[in-house]
């Protein structure tokens, strides 16, 4: 998402965020007995999805990277709070003749915590912090492709969507140490409208994505496909009425430890001025729900 921000205003925001210190509110320190069954301070859900209500964030939850070498053309914040929906690193980058900022949300690499991916970019952890953004190269950074979400497995397999090519999902594996050209996935995945927001399991045993299909519950639903013995992707399975509804569901992914499945449910609303906008509610559920969908 792009936002136009005056250069001087952005500098003020960055410096203010870095300088601010927020007091810890009373009662935020739970005793050990209370924390025993909590997940990062939250009561975790079971097999029925629950709305995730994040605790109030403070400036202490975000750390400005490399503040001693601050570069206003590209800088980043790292997240140290306890909201599993937050990305670990957010990069802001100047990409225009005036200060047009791109916000890149970087995702975990389950096989290497020192590399994070976002769209056709990646960053690497260094001794002084995260590196500048690097391109995955011409195989991915193409004008005719519109990548929104990039997901990576522990083996380095990349799966990504493409809104410029009639909403499809592609995959690129590493074979004999060499990155292969991205290939379209089969019709089990690339069928329907708005096929996007893929997530590949760390062990590549399943793939989740969002799509609108005739047999669905309404608008975009979350679907899952399990890897078959021959390496192909199996039947697309609608994740059911506990996960999906008549609204828009997408963006499903596991927490980095694999314990919980996160997804968003979005609804279009109309403001008093007649303008329409989207409101997204985040949900989470025990990741064991995936096993209830696995074909026997």
């Amino acid at each position: 998402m792009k936002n136009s921000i005056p250069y001087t205003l952005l500098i003020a925001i960055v410096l203010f965020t870095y300088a601010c210190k927020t007091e810890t509110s009373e009662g935020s320190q739970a005793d050990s007995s209370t924390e025993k069954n909590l997940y990062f301070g939250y009561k975790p859900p079971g097999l029925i999805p629950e709305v995730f209500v994040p605790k109030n964030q403070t400036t202490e939850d975000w750390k400005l990277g490399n503040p001693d070498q601050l570069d206003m053309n590209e800088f980043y914040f790292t997240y140290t709070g306890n909201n599993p929906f937050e990305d670990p690193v957010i990069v802001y980058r100047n990409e225009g003749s005036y200060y047009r900022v791109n916000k890149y949300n970087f995702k975990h690499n389950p096989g290497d915590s020192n590399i994070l991916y976002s769209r056709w970019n990646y960053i690497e952890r260094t001794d002084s912090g995260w590196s500048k953004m690097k391109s995955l190269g011409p195989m991915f950074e193409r004008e005719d492709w519109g990548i929104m979400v990039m997901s990576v497995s522990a083996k380095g397999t990349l799966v990504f969507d493409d809104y410029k090519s009639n909403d499809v999902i592609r995959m690129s594996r590493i074979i004999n140490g060499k990155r292969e050209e991205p290939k379209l996935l089969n019709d089990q995945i690339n069928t329907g409208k708005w096929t996007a927001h893929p997530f590949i399991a760390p062990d590549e045993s399943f793939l989740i994505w969002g799509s609108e299909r005739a047999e669905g519950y309404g608008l975009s639903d979350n679907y899952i496909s399990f890897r078959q013995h021959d390496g192909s992707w199996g039947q697309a399975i609608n994740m059911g009425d506990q996960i999906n509804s008549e609204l828009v569901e997408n963006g499903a992914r596991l927490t980095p430890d694999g314990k919980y499945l996160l997804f968003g449910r979005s609804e279009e609303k109309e403001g008093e001025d007649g303008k329409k906008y989207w409101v997204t509610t985040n949900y989470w559920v025990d990741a064991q729900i995936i096993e209830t969908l696995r074909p026997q």
Side-chain angles (χ1 to χ4, degrees), residues 9-58:
L9 176 59
L10 184 62
I11 292 177
I13 292 173
V14 172
L15 297 180
F16 175 78
T17 302
Y18 177 60
C20 281
K21 301 293 182 182
T22 303
E23 297 285 336
T24 303
S25 60
E26 283 187 31
S28 63
Q29 300 290 335
D31 59 42
S32 58
S33 61
T34 303
E35 293 179 345
K36 184 177 181 181
N37 296 316
L38 298 183
Y39 180 81
F40 291 97
Y42 297 91
K43 181 182 177 182
L47 291 176
I48 297 177
E50 296 180 10
V51 174
F52 180 83
V53 181
K55 301 178 186 298
N56 291 332
Q57 293 189 13
T58 73

Side-chain angles (χ1 to χ4, degrees), residues 108-142:
H108 287 280
N109 177 348
D112 187 349
S113 61
N114 292 315
I115 302 178
L116 299 175
Y117 292 87
S118 179
R119 299 163 71 187
W120 53 84
N121 305 294
Y122 71 98
I123 55 178
E124 296 179 294
R125 195 194 307 270
T126 68
D127 291 339
S128 59
W130 291 98
S131 69
K132 296 288 187 181
M133 285 198 297
K134 301 178 181 181
S135 172
L136 286 169
M139 276 199 295
F140 300 90
E141 191 170 358
R142 296 172 42 161

